Amino acid sequence: MSKTSLSKSNRYFRRAIRIVLLLTCLIFSGCSSEKVEYQEFRVGLMYNTDTPGALPSVQAARLYVDNLNTKGGLKVDKKAIRYRLIESEVSSNPSSAMLAARELIYELHVDAIIGPNQSLLAAEAAAVAEVANIPLISQGSTNPIVTQNKKFVFQIAFNDQEQGVALAKAAHRVIKPEKLVIIYGLSDPASRAVGESFINKFQELGGQLHKVLTYSLINEKLEKQLASIAQDQPDWILLPNRYDESLQQAKLLRASGFNGLFLGSDNWSIIDSPKQPVLDGSIMTHHWHPQLIQVEVSSARFFSDYIARFEEPPTSMSALTYDAFDVLTYSLKQCKGSKSELAKQISTLSGFPGITGQISLNGKERVREPIFLKIRAGESYLWTSQE
């Protein structure tokens, strides 16, 4: 056979091989000659570096985004949307949240924002996002001021009024204190909302309060008032205040001879409450706890993935952050249009299976009661009315 004939034979053979491989790919691998379009969706994550919730938020966000992108992104029509995570640090100063939100929106051109998780910071960021028509989901803020008069801002944690009501019900129906004292600050919206809603519900149920102490300034000196309360020896004291204030007040009360127990709000989660000896035996409201993996499949999967990646267990802020991203993804998948349509999809979310339980948004806020934790011997446990 001549070299020319051999060359032609080789070309025909190679062409036949290419055709067979192409057909095999199409039949068995679901391949398509149509080019996949990839679209980048920028998500800003705002987190407060002054609190222990910062690292869990960042780790949960990275876990979610990496998992989504590794699986090929979010499929919408013939496009695959991949998230680009843009992390933004803020301090406890509300103005830093406002400036960070401006940078994310106007300089880094994010399509949506997750965080911040504290109400005062979230309110500042929310004002910026609302003007820019950028959806913002605050995963941990609990005060309604964050979403008030806004169409693009959402909360997936329970609100402060729900905390106060839940605490009042638990106090009246289960704890049944003989001498109950409430101490709360008027300048912090979260503390005030929990305190006032507790009083209203507790008295509505027929409960009687021994004493109510309010104060106007953050970290106000209350040594004399607290010493007087300790001398009365109440059996329970509600401290729904800022994490630094609640811890300092508890220490002063113990030093003055108080031997009873404390009730607390989710503000306590920031101070790693179980590690504070003065809070031993106390009961607090919370958003999520690792014990829930025993009853919720989604929580169990999230728990194992998180530990495998970071070699430490997730916190409630990890779970809330993961849920915020999942809410965004689910809503984005249902939406094929503008940011306004995306915001509308988020606002109508109902019965979504989140890590922290079912998520239904009543327009802006999640409708949900908190869980209760009991602090005992340096650990926290789910607390129920059966105890």
Side-chain angles (χ1 to χ4, degrees):
M1 183 181 293
S2 67
K3 291 184 178 180
T4 302
S5 299
L6 184 60
S7 178
K8 288 181 179 180
S9 177
N10 285 339
R11 285 200 301 271
Y12 293 146
F13 179 74
R14 287 194 296 269
R15 185 180 300 169
I17 290 296
R18 286 197 297 269
I19 292 172
V20 170
L21 289 175
L22 178 60
L23 289 173
T24 302
C25 181
L26 290 171
I27 294 172
F28 295 103
S29 303
C31 300
S32 172
S33 59
E34 185 177 352
K35 185 178 180 181
V36 178
E37 294 183 41
Y38 292 94
Q39 180 178 329
E40 182 180 82
F41 190 91
R42 297 186 169 203
V43 185
L45 174 71
M46 299 178 65
Y47 57 95
N48 182 1
T49 53
D50 294 337
T51 68
L55 183 59
S57 295
V58 172
Q59 291 183 162
R62 291 175 180 174
L63 177 65
Y64 188 93
V65 170
D66 289 347
N67 284 348
L68 180 72
N69 290 345
T70 299
K71 294 176 182 177
L74 173 64
K75 302 299 189 300
V76 179
D77 287 339
K78 296 179 181 179
K79 293 183 179 180
I81 296 176
R82 287 180 172 164
Y83 284 167
R84 178 181 175 188
L85 181 63
I86 301 177
E87 300 170 3
S88 178
E89 298 180 0
V90 299
S91 70
S92 295
N93 188 335
S95 63
S96 72
M98 180 267 292
L99 293 173
R102 286 183 176 276
E103 181 184 34
L104 285 172
I105 293 170
Y106 297 112
E107 296 181 26
L108 300 175
H109 307 293
V110 297
D111 299 293
I113 295 175
I114 304 295
N117 60 49
Q118 291 175 282
S119 295
L120 288 177
L121 302 182
E124 291 293 327
V128 178
E130 183 70 17
V131 172
N133 292 351
I134 295 295
L136 181 148
I137 303 175
S138 176
Q139 72 275 47
S141 67
T142 54
N143 197 280
I145 61 171
V146 175
T147 58
Q148 190 173 14
N149 300 321
K150 295 180 178 65
K151 296 180 179 179
F152 288 83
V153 181
F154 310 93
Q155 294 169 293
I156 62 166
F158 49 71
N159 66 40
D160 294 321
Q161 283 82 356
E162 289 169 338
Q163 285 196 82
V165 169
L167 281 163
K169 289 179 179 178
H172 185 263
R173 297 171 180 172
V174 183
I175 299 172
K176 299 179 180 179
E178 295 181 2
K179 190 183 287 187
L180 175 63
V181 171
I182 301 175
I183 303 171
Y184 68 93
L186 300 175
S187 57
D188 178 58
S191 306
R192 182 170 186 166
V194 173
E196 291 178 349
S197 59
F198 180 99
I199 292 171
N200 292 336
K201 189 63 180 180
F202 191 72
Q203 292 179 332
E204 177 189 313
L205 293 171
Q208 294 185 348
L209 301 173
H210 176 67
K211 184 177 292 186
V212 176
L213 172 63
T214 62
Y215 54 96
S216 301
L217 302 176
I218 294 177
N219 291 319
E220 185 172 334
K221 302 296 183 182
L222 301 172
E223 285 86 349
K224 292 182 179 179
Q225 297 95 316
L226 296 179
S228 176
I229 289 174
Q231 290 175 6
D232 286 346
Q233 282 303 323
D235 50 344
W236 287 87
I237 297 178
L238 172 63
L239 294 177
N241 305 310
R242 286 163 45 98
Y243 59 95
D244 50 345
E245 291 182 319
S246 289
L247 183 57
Q248 182 62 22
Q249 291 160 3
K251 289 179 177 179
L252 288 172
L253 285 161
R254 292 293 188 210
S256 298
F258 172 63
N259 296 317
L261 298 172
F262 296 106
L263 285 173
S265 69
D266 72 313
N267 275 339
W268 286 16
S269 63
I270 300 177
I271 56 176
D272 196 8
S273 308
K275 305 303 181 185
Q276 307 298 331
V278 295
L279 300 179
D280 193 65
S282 300
I283 294 172
M284 62 179 286
T285 51
H286 218 345
H287 303 271
W288 181 82
H289 190 273
Q291 276 183 271
L292 290 173
I293 67 174
Q294 300 171 12
V295 295
E296 297 179 3
V297 175
S298 58
S299 281
R301 185 167 54 251
F302 162 71
F303 188 82
S304 61
D305 287 350
Y306 194 96
I307 288 182
R309 171 80 177 267
F310 303 110
E311 299 182 346
E312 62 182 11
T315 67
S316 64
M317 196 51 59
S318 311
L320 284 169
T321 301
Y322 204 89
D323 272 351
F325 273 88
D326 219 11
V327 165
L328 176 63
T329 298
Y330 177 81
S331 302
L332 187 59
K333 191 173 182 179
Q334 312 305 312
C335 170
K336 302 173 184 177
S338 65
K339 299 296 190 299
S340 296
E341 291 183 11
L342 174 57
K344 184 177 180 180
Q345 287 293 335
I346 298 173
S347 70
T348 57
L349 191 72
S350 179
F352 182 77
I355 304 300
T356 57
Q358 280 203 351
I359 302 175
S360 297
L361 297 182
N362 184 19
K364 306 170 188 175
E365 302 164 0
R366 183 175 183 178
V367 182
R368 180 204 175 202
E369 286 193 352
I371 63 171
F372 288 94
L373 302 183
K374 176 93 174 212
I375 298 171
R376 185 168 61 240
E379 301 292 339
S380 63
Y381 305 88
L382 284 176
W383 178 81
T384 66
S385 58
Q386 279 70 45
E387 291 193 19

